[in-house]
Amino acid sequence: MTSTVNLGAPITIAALGKQFPSEQGPVTAVAGLDLEIAAGEFIAVVGASGCGKSTVLRMLAGFESPTSGRLEVGGAPVRGPGPDRGVVFQDYGLFPWLTVQENVAYGPRQTGASRRDAAARAARYIELVGLTRVANRFPQQLSGGMQQRVAIARVLCNEPAVLLMDEPFGALDALTRGSLQRELERIHRETGTTTLFVTHSVEEAVYLADRVVVMSGGISHGTAGHVQAVVPVQLDRPRDVNDAAFTDHRRRISALIEH
Ligand SMILES: Nc1ncnc2c1ncn2[C@@H]1O[C@H](COP(=O)(O)OP(=O)(O)OP(=O)(O)O)[C@@H](O)[C@H]1O
Ligand SMILES: [Mg+2]
């Protein structure tokens, strides 16, 4: 695989806050959240349901605006969605009327690439996620795992500096999930894209991340969502989930998550 390298962008999150209106007045979902992410870093975000993980990701994606604080990608303030940030959610969000190839080539076409260039780029990313043989099929002809691979290829084909993933493997069976984790690890190594990955699986977080961010709080806890701890994972890759050091990280992080 050649020429898939794109430099990731650093991310600055400073004193970030988000309030939502409610019938009882505004409620604070996130407050005082600070995080510096280096270019090319892989960050996993874990924390109890409702602590604000998706809200933070949506603000980074530019789908929601912060109520307070600072949010910068590549040194520039986030003002809305942009091609520098690719977003992958749990539901694949593919265009059902387009083939795999057309889904993946869609982004480059939108940003003005010629049909030929877009096709060449799409072919490269389809290969990167191992779907060359099904490039001419439609999404509904593929398994969930394959559709999620298409979603990842489609986002990567825009060559974003930042990849934002919100429980992307949450709907997949364990076997498919494992193989996509290994694939994502390889893709991250090959592209150097700064990645923020929200997951409910501590094992997945420890497997993938350079650092695991543990969030806590949230409206239902009567406090605002914030960073509770940041745990570096300095284990050699590919990681062995049965390794003692791996298990130790997993235990420590699980103990930090409030239930
Ligand atoms: N658009 C919205 N309007 C009002 N409240 C919202 C909105 N989006 C999120 N919230 C509230 O903000 C809090 C954080 O939600 P968020 O979806 O970020 O949590 P999460 O950590 O992603 O949870 P989960 O693990 O269940 O996905 C929740 O209490 C939620 O109800
Ligand atoms: Mg969420």
Side-chain angles (χ1 to χ4, degrees), residues 20-21 27 29 47-56 64 166-167 198 200 218-220:
F20 290 109
V27 288
S49 183
C51 69
K53 304 179 296 295
S54 296
T55 301
V56 171
E64 301 266 9
D166 197 350
E167 301 186 44
V198 172
H200 275 283
I219 295 166
S220 57

Side-chain angles (χ1 to χ4, degrees), residues 162-174:
V162 171
L163 191 55
L164 304 168
M165 306 180 95
D166 197 350
E167 301 186 44
F169 306 152
L172 305 175
D173 65 274

Side-chain angles (χ1 to χ4, degrees), residues 7-257:
L7 291 178
I11 298 172
T12 297
I13 305 175
L16 184 69
K18 179 68 183 177
Q19 292 189 329
F20 290 109
S22 82
E23 278 156 22
Q24 294 81 23
V27 288
T28 306
V30 175
L33 195 144
D34 296 300
L35 190 64
E36 287 282 346
I37 302 172
E41 212 178 356
F42 196 120
I43 298 286
V45 183
V46 298
S49 183
C51 69
K53 304 179 296 295
S54 296
T55 301
V56 171
L57 225 70
R58 292 176 58 78
M59 288 191 279
L60 274 168
F63 301 154
E64 301 266 9
S65 46
T67 317
S68 55
R70 202 155 50 88
L71 207 49
E72 290 174 4
V73 171
V78 172
R79 298 202 196 284
D84 57 330
R85 284 149 290 141
V87 185
V88 179
F89 292 121
Q90 188 170 334
D91 56 2
Y92 322 118
L94 301 173
F95 301 125
W97 61 90
L98 298 180
T99 65
V100 168
Q101 198 278 337
E102 290 162 343
N103 263 283
V104 177
Y106 182 84
R109 283 294 281 157
Q110 286 304 101
T111 52
S114 72
R115 190 176 292 275
R116 213 171 130 219
D117 285 353
R121 249 162 84 179
R124 208 158 69 218
Y125 287 97
I126 290 168
E127 191 196 328
L128 191 67
V129 298
L131 290 182
T132 303
R133 283 190 315 117
V134 296
N136 293 320
R137 290 206 204 165
F138 290 92
Q140 62 273 23
Q141 299 174 301
L142 305 176
S143 70
M146 290 159 103
Q147 289 186 50
Q148 193 56 296
R149 282 187 170 87
V150 179
I152 293 169
R154 187 176 61 168
V155 159
L156 290 173
C157 199
N158 298 320
E159 305 189 332
V162 171
L163 191 55
L164 304 168
M165 306 180 95
D166 197 350
E167 301 186 44
F169 306 152
L172 305 175
D173 65 274
L175 224 60
T176 308
R177 189 170 184 154
S179 86
L180 273 180
Q181 285 165 357
R182 287 189 292 279
E183 237 161 79
L184 180 62
E185 181 188 27
R186 176 178 54 80
I187 289 166
H188 178 254
R189 192 170 58 236
E190 288 177 13
T191 61
T193 308
T194 309
T195 305
L196 239 88
F197 185 100
V198 172
T199 178
H200 275 283
S201 162
V202 174
E203 181 170 300
E204 183 167 73
V206 175
Y207 183 78
L208 289 169
D210 296 316
R211 290 189 293 156
V212 178
V213 172
V214 182
M215 283 183 63
S216 64
I219 295 166
S220 57
H221 286 84
T223 57
H226 58 277
V227 172
Q228 187 187 336
V230 180
V231 180
V233 186
Q234 285 156 337
L235 304 173
D236 291 341
R237 289 184 165 96
R239 292 173 179 164
D240 178 357
V241 297
N242 297 312
D243 182 67
F246 189 101
T247 310
D248 179 57
H249 279 78
R250 211 180 58 200
R251 257 198 228 108
R252 270 169 44 216
I253 292 163
S254 296
L256 286 165
I257 298 174

